[in-house]
Amino acid sequence: MRNSRQWPERGVSRIPFWVYSDPEIYAREQERIFQGASWNYVALEAEIPHPGDYKRTYIGDKSVVVIRAGDGGVTVVENRCAHRGLQFCQLHLGHADEIMCPYHQWTYDLTGALIGVPFRRGVKQQGGMPADFSLAEHGLRRLKVARRNGVVFASFSDAVESFEEYLTPPILELFDRVFDGRGLKVLGYSRQLTPGNWKLMFENIKDPYHASILHVFLVSFGLNRVDQPNRVVIDRLGRHASTMTSRGEQKRTEDNADIRSLIEDLTLAGPAMLDPVREFPQYTVCMTTVWPNLIIQQQSNTLATRQIITKGPGSFELAWTFFGYDDDDEAMTQRRLRQANLMGPSGYVSIDDSEVMALAQQGIAHASEASAVVELDGPGWREEQAHGVTESEIRAFYDYYRTVMDL
Amino acid sequence: MRNSRQWPERGVSRIPFWVYSDPEIYAREQERIFQGASWNYVALEAEIPHPGDYKRTYIGDKSVVVIRAGDGGVTVVENRCAHRGLQFCQLHLGHADEIMCPYHQWTYDLTGALIGVPFRRGVKQQGGMPADFSLAEHGLRRLKVARRNGVVFASFSDAVESFEEYLTPPILELFDRVFDGRGLKVLGYSRQLTPGNWKLMFENIKDPYHASILHVFLVSFGLNRVDQPNRVVIDRLGRHASTMTSRGEQKRTEDNADIRSLIEDLTLAGPAMLDPVREFPQYTVCMTTVWPNLIIQQQSNTLATRQIITKGPGSFELAWTFFGYDDDDEAMTQRRLRQANLMGPSGYVSIDDSEVMALAQQGIAHASEASAVVELDGPGWREEQAHGVTESEIRAFYDYYRTVMDL
Amino acid sequence: MRNSRQWPERGVSRIPFWVYSDPEIYAREQERIFQGASWNYVALEAEIPHPGDYKRTYIGDKSVVVIRAGDGGVTVVENRCAHRGLQFCQLHLGHADEIMCPYHQWTYDLTGALIGVPFRRGVKQQGGMPADFSLAEHGLRRLKVARRNGVVFASFSDAVESFEEYLTPPILELFDRVFDGRGLKVLGYSRQLTPGNWKLMFENIKDPYHASILHVFLVSFGLNRVDQPNRVVIDRLGRHASTMTSRGEQKRTEDNADIRSLIEDLTLAGPAMLDPVREFPQYTVCMTTVWPNLIIQQQSNTLATRQIITKGPGSFELAWTFFGYDDDDEAMTQRRLRQANLMGPSGYVSIDDSEVMALAQQGIAHASEASAVVELDGPGWREEQAHGVTESEIRAFYDYYRTVMDL
Amino acid sequence: MRGAETFRALPPRELRLELEALYADYTGCLDEERFEDWPAFFTEPCLYKIVPRDNFERGLPLATWLCESQGYLLDRVTGIRKTSVYAPRRIRRIVSGIRIIGWNGDALETRASFAAFETLIDELTRVFIVGEHRDRIVAADGVLKFREKVIVFDSLLVPNSLIYPL
Amino acid sequence: MRGAETFRALPPRELRLELEALYADYTGCLDEERFEDWPAFFTEPCLYKIVPRDNFERGLPLATWLCESQGYLLDRVTGIRKTSVYAPRRIRRIVSGIRIIGWNGDALETRASFAAFETLIDELTRVFIVGEHRDRIVAADGVLKFREKVIVFDSLLVPNSLIYPL
Amino acid sequence: MRGAETFRALPPRELRLELEALYADYTGCLDEERFEDWPAFFTEPCLYKIVPRDNFERGLPLATWLCESQGYLLDRVTGIRKTSVYAPRRIRRIVSGIRIIGWNGDALETRASFAAFETLIDELTRVFIVGEHRDRIVAADGVLKFREKVIVFDSLLVPNSLIYPL
Ligand code: FES
Ligand code: FES
Ligand code: FES
Ligand SMILES: [Fe+3]
Ligand SMILES: [Fe+3]
Ligand SMILES: [Fe+3]
């Protein structure tokens, strides 16, 4: 990495723009973060209910396959044949009784163990694998797996602590708020390729400040505004966080006077689209970020996991899995589907976010000499806060980032 | 940069092909040339007549915004919000009373000074910016500006000399030949993305030799030919230059015997397209290059600024702004518009140039071991020359280039 | 190159995945392999029968032009003007009496010698080339050429041995099996851009193991199967090789029990497509690989040269030239054209190969830490083998590769 | 053409011409960014959906874009014009292969393939998304309208945002 | 429409409508991957060829894809469904500019331009290949069928594999 | 069809068919590089312009390509065939959504969307430019001709050169 890479003096209230564009920083992130001692979101168990069901996804740059094993357990393997490296799985979702690589049909069981090598003993006493070739040494690369209430995480590192310790009690509690053990029902998928660095996505979600200002839609309908009850929780290391708010009224007050974007007379011609029912205690919105690749979205009744998939320094993919609960009635499912209009590539709310992230990357891509100014409610950060006029989640994120990245 | 980067022994009568393709050379060019002590063309004042009018453009890789300030002055700022780096401006031309970044609505006045930060004092005594946060320290990055006869230049460096000194008297005189103080009228824009290194564009214009040979159209109609009166002027440092010629006849002579491309019986079925009137003294064509990003085109009655925008080592954008004068009559405007058929992506003349530049890049991209041979009328160069059978402008350009780039 | 580049301990029975994706490895391959002491396939003489006929092609990254000279000889030059580097030739196949670069019309004869420079002596005693400028020093870069039985090879290195020594007797014999001195008739071209490293193409052809397993079509119709007579020949250095097989029956036997993909009742509704006649001695299929860019295909009656053109670490182009013999009758030509359905971008056989190579690149691109396991019939390799249950050709290839690349 | 009867009664070739005019007017309206005129191409109530082919084929109900009435359509226009923050863009729509599937009560089922191209500031034009219109068309107030338009696109992945209707 | 006579007798405008329906049904069948229905668009015998423009213009006989009968077409469907190994993909076909060249015996010569788009898993859609259909159409069993379809594509280079018919 | 009256008198559906034939013949002529036949699609005098949408919408008069008569068109053909130096290329034109805007005197105003694709040697095909035809069509010598064709393209940026007509 260029020796010039010195983090600015003012610490995490500055973010040097080279962290968003330097290919060597990106390579180090893959090694230390995504292939490091982290728990990466990979699937909902509901996506692979039966033995042999599998899902193809990514952890950072690496494609992995999540498989429901015969014993009901879950296997996660790197999507790369142990023979000559083929990415054997090419379906988002599928079913197979065993894993067979197309090139030479090496075959693996549902735990990734190599069980078959054609002509291993040769043909007519000729060729074949050496006598000392042991199937056991040539299985697929298998990841460590953690499951909690129907959500599956995986890690390339054996050193990683248990998922519960990893999350820490305050975040775990908010995780369980949505994933409360009830069966989940997948409603569908949505995916976007955003021309921005992956960290911009976290900064965006860890930024309650912007919500009140950028999202005309949210602020006008009082879905999310700083002048409403807010709560911010951060784990002790700063890597995870959660932002909660409660819906307020569509009203101009002295406290939201700064919000130019509030349109008091904005109305919906199709109100059915936005007609939430109270479903979770206290807060109507709860956005939780789990290091290094997950956002848990609970905005009124629309629920989704948002998985961040890095695609080089300059872009990332956001993979949305919208879900409900097995015990949802038809009306609730309808509600979730209608409110989904707020989210995804065409979301009334998330359009703004995807667009500003693209603009951010354009602004910083050619400005390695400059830095972001992250001083709101700074310079430090606290694990618990009662308001959203803060950038402390972002500072916390970079505190941890710098440790892991040794920057 | 690869240590292997040694300029060939024969000096500027050789150009090593790695200057056109090495990403590290390109990075150094951005730093030392475009962000260095140079005056970069950014706009015509006529594009932003009224206070609040702005234009988005580029200096090298960096997007900048040219703004007509309230006092009639011109501000040039980097197109990057001081908060978290958003490229806030997304319109080629527009109008605004102040500059507001969409993400968190930090607001700047027309001089780039930060004037507003929402919730700076927090909400309900909570959050907000630290007490020591000073608006004054967080304005947009502002560039040094020079204006002459309606043309706007900007510099990232405060060390740069005055525009007049920069240009030097001989070039300044030719600059004033077209920009004589009369009001300018913008006729329209044209832009091309050429798959070649930006320096190839300068070499092309600084090469009177090619004009007589490549452009069947020019030579056949005697618009530009070496056997016609030619004049070449170079500033003392070699970075700027100007080539002038006078229209000749469509006739095969002993002097142009070498020009295979001359078609004596070529005629126009639509002659109105090419029916120039004498407008400027002495020479009918005058092409002036101003380091590091401008070509001033006066070909008969078609006038344009051609701005060079680098897009990586392997391509550049050529942004044409065609203009006339406020006092042009309808007939003259028609003439300029018709003669514009010679220029731009579909220009009878410039097609040849864009195409050969693309071919040049293809030839040199994979030949770092080889060099261009620039010996015509060499090996040296003079500030004043009376003929066009020369590559001296190119040698002069690289003399200066080597100094700035320390190569 | 990253110091981390250490070939794995187990030698060529492992291939580290960074050889397929590291740009510095790729750059070194260009230098040492394609521009090194190797014979690169460039054309069939039948493509340029008459003096002045030329063909544009590539050796690695470099575009070259193959020209039939006046004396019937063949010239190969780099496609780059000696003046300022233009890639002057832009046609796959063409004819010209001399080579003229469009930019300044420097002119070369059919041997690449510079014969004309416009205005070399200036105009009206002004300008022009310096007195000491010698045409002889500024010809096109000319490559060493070898021809055998109508096939043309070229080398950037003068150190390379004769083509016959280069090929070695066993491979030469198989080369002559198809190129037996009869006149060749070009039937047509086919080209694919495969998103994989160029070496994957050689591994695929040098892998008789896969043929029996991957290609349902081949194995079912017994066109190529390990339980059939197989012969593998490798030159003493390991860089070239040849695989031969004979057609067998469409029958499930104990020996092919491992082949899941064999469909016993597979039939052709259009049998005419696959109705070969015995044309060559002993083996019905013979695939020969000539280092570093050629595959000679003889599959039943469909004959082709497959030229490998590198396009960066992550992709290569496969340029197919299908041919027959001057003395083919109409029926034989028909047969060759029909059997061509097996090959190319839509080939019943080669589709499988292009697809698995793409999958391989996807699997290995982000796995520099891992290696391919190449142990079948290993760990060594022999110059002569009587079966196809082996990966020895691949090991041989990398033995030589490591020497040349100093890895 | 007049009302439902006339519509129902049209011979196939006439029908095809009506459809070609309808699709041309529809895409023309959008290519020229006359979004305010867009809802009028639909009946009330109506169904307008944009769905990735993956969800569609798996029978997953989630849509990228869901409108169930004129009101929903209007709100989208408000979003485009007033509430959403986005960089300027131009979308060009090419439609081809209009197929008449058959009658379903008073509604004509049709399908057509499309390709949409996106142009962002300072960029070259690029392929945006491609896919299929799956429509139900009825005659109302003497013109043809979409009672249902389900746009199924081939790539699950969207190039950042899908802001303008297709 | 009925048999050959009727076909031959159709006034140009009617003819154009028949052709538009035919091409729409043809590309619709392929876009929706109903490959089993594809051979029925051709007569027996028939000629179906995909050829790079370079070979076509040089008069070189090699085709990228050559089918000379219904049998050949069926074998291709078998290849797609049973024997070929390939990554999942989606091809979307846009056809435009259908031209009537003239009659050649009982066959109508037509041409049309096309653009095909490819979508691979986890990728954005990209241009696949573009080119021209050069067809001979006859009326058989009361419908129009291709006696000959030669697809000439502009780029010699193919993005890896061309697996589905165009 | 005959002269101006007949043209004026055509019922919309017939009209659409005439237009589809006209646009198909026009793009076919260009796709097949029969540039010499191109001027005959225009009246004398005529206006043929290619304009970036930015200039068009801002009312800036500059065109990328401006022809005001048959002579201008012929000169462009001469440029392509004789005077211009350029690398070989192939342009494929897709036109869709032909709209009848209305009559303006004896001229019919029409619009259509287009996408053009470029193929350079040794390259894959790529999107070239997309945009809209804005035309005025009259009947002359028993055929339809363009009195005016203004091609407005979406991207200000052109991929290097625009050499062949659109
Ligand atoms: S690469 Fe998977 S079996 Fe050979
Ligand atoms: S980034 Fe501009 S206001 Fe925050
Ligand atoms: S570059 Fe070839 S003649 Fe000048
Ligand atoms: Fe947001
Ligand atoms: Fe020029
Ligand atoms: Fe194979």
Side-chain angles (χ1 to χ4, degrees), chain C residues 12 60 64 336:
Chain C
V12 292
V64 298
R336 302 199 195 283

Side-chain angles (χ1 to χ4, degrees), chain B residues 204 210 215 349 353:
Chain B
N204 174 267
H210 90 278
H215 301 303
V349 174
D353 294 318

